[in-house]
Amino acid sequence: MSTEPGEVHRALRFQGELLKAIDTGQLVLHFQPKVRLADYRIVGLEALVRWTHPELGLIHPGEFIPVAEETGLIIPLGYWVMQACCAQQAEWKALGVDLMPVAFNLSPRQLRDASLPGQVAKLLEKHGIVAKEIEIEITESSLVEPMEMAQHVLNELHEMGVLIGLDDFGTGYSNLSQVRELPINHLKIDRSFINEIRTSKEVGVIVTSMITLAHSLNMKVIAEGVELLDQLVQLKTAGCDEVQGYFLSRPLPPEDVLKLMQQRTLLPQ
Ligand code: C2E
Ligand code: MG
Ligand code: MG
């Protein structure tokens, strides 16, 4: 975390106020579409948490997730996110919307909690939705040794039918042979690679190799942080399956993403 005095002050303030924010409904979810490159169909959504602070306005997770991780508040926060995703899906289902899987991000701490799969099962049942209507995203930092508990939790979720993605791929220390041992359905190539895909020949080669390797291990590949048409075209040429990014859509509040879900496709303009 930064050591700028103003930011330290803000972080301390968040630390003091976060639990109340969770309990009093100040958190909201925005949803970003995942688009399949073969036909530009929206095939999934990612839920991203925001804090609607009564005085400071909308706060992005980069500012408060690290605080939540440090204090352990990530456990109640993560639970709030899971139940909010399930409740949102139930609401859309009641409206007769054709559901697509909603992915939520899991912190390393949540992945080390043996009760997590049971909690997920209860939430699914409570809200009347099925495992394939949710997805989880984990990061490589969840996969540091000792990995037994994380592996156990992932296996249980996988057996329940929950799809699992590895987020920010390429930024940590996991490698594909380690990933192969885990029930990972898709890799999400980190935004930093996508940023440079047009300007660096080496990065282009790395991304193409990641896609080829992932496919040979039967994993789907998603590119995150796609901001330009050129990047999208290059990813499509390299065989990437799905993209997510500002070029097609920013993360949106539920009412706006609903319109996109009903429209079903997001063509590059
Ligand atoms: P992430 O899971 O890798 O999510 C992608 C982030 O990139 C999101 O930032 C999204 O708004 C942003 N993004 C999407 N498309 C573009 C693009 O084209 N360009 C750029 N520059 N950025 C793009 P956000 O919402 O601020 O979230 C940041 C991180 O906070 C997430 O990264 C995730 O690690 C974490 N996070 C968000 N929600 C949750 C949550 O519910 N639980 C946990 N544990 N972490 C969360
Ligand atoms: Mg993510
Ligand atoms: Mg990511």
Side-chain angles (χ1 to χ4, degrees):
M1 207 175 290
S2 166
T3 49
E4 290 290 312
E7 287 179 31
V8 171
H9 179 256
R10 222 169 133 90
L12 283 172
R13 178 169 182 182
F14 292 162
Q15 190 172 326
E17 296 178 358
L18 190 53
L19 185 58
K20 186 167 161 238
I22 301 167
D23 289 342
T24 57
Q26 292 177 19
L27 299 185
V28 293
L29 294 180
H30 284 186
F31 298 89
Q32 188 176 39
K34 298 182 185 178
V35 176
R36 185 163 65 197
L37 283 173
D39 53 6
Y40 299 104
R41 241 175 120 77
I42 302 171
V43 288
L45 302 173
E46 177 176 8
L48 295 154
V49 69
R50 275 95 182 85
W51 181 353
T52 49
H53 193 284
E55 285 157 22
L56 303 171
L58 195 72
I59 306 172
H60 283 256
E63 277 204 86
F64 62 86
I65 290 286
V67 174
E69 298 265 12
E70 272 170 33
T71 54
L73 286 171
I74 195 70
I75 295 292
L77 187 153
Y79 184 80
W80 181 86
V81 169
M82 294 194 294
Q83 66 77 33
C85 280
C86 294
Q88 184 61 71
Q89 284 288 56
E91 197 182 315
W92 282 329
K93 193 177 245 182
L95 289 174
V97 180
D98 223 352
L99 292 191
M100 50 188 81
V102 171
F104 53 83
N105 294 281
L106 277 189
S107 88
R109 279 211 205 206
Q110 286 175 284
L111 210 60
R112 281 180 170 65
D113 176 359
S115 69
L116 186 88
Q119 289 173 21
V120 172
K122 277 201 189 123
L123 284 172
L124 292 175
E125 197 187 333
K126 177 176 173 206
H127 293 281
I129 59 170
V130 293
K132 69 174 170 48
E133 289 163 347
I134 59 164
E135 259 180 36
I136 62 164
E137 292 188 9
I138 61 165
T139 53
E140 290 173 288
S141 50
S142 300
L143 304 179
V144 290
E145 300 292 342
M147 230 175 66
E148 285 73 25
M149 182 55 89
Q151 194 153 8
H152 175 74
V153 167
L154 287 177
N155 284 336
E156 271 196 56
L157 288 165
H158 173 72
E159 276 160 32
M160 285 163 57
V162 177
L163 293 175
I164 301 167
L166 185 56
D167 206 349
D168 307 339
F169 184 73
T171 55
Y173 294 103
S174 70
N175 55 53
L176 280 170
S177 72
Q178 184 193 12
V179 169
R180 197 175 58 101
E181 324 245 296
L182 298 166
I184 305 275
N185 304 96
H186 67 261
L187 294 183
K188 212 184 236 194
I189 302 178
D190 190 66
R191 184 165 82 218
S192 54
F193 293 94
I194 310 309
N195 244 330
E196 282 190 75
I197 195 173
R198 288 157 51 258
T199 47
S200 156
K201 204 173 160 207
E202 287 79 15
V203 170
V205 171
I206 293 170
V207 168
T208 305
S209 325
M210 280 177 177
I211 295 171
T212 310
L213 268 166
H215 283 168
S216 64
L217 296 171
N218 283 324
M219 284 186 262
K220 226 171 43 174
V221 182
I222 304 177
E224 68 176 3
V226 177
E227 295 181 350
L228 302 165
L229 176 63
D230 285 358
Q231 294 167 341
L232 184 146
V233 169
Q234 198 165 332
L235 286 160
K236 189 168 176 164
T237 310
C240 183
D241 301 285
E242 293 169 21
V243 291
Q244 226 183 316
Y246 295 167
F247 178 66
L248 290 171
S249 170
R250 286 183 173 259
L252 299 169
E255 55 280 13
D256 294 334
V257 89
L258 176 61
K259 288 181 202 136
L260 290 185
M261 286 162 86
Q262 286 162 333
Q263 157 189 327
R264 230 36 229 208
T265 51
L266 251 178
L267 291 172
Q269 310 272 332

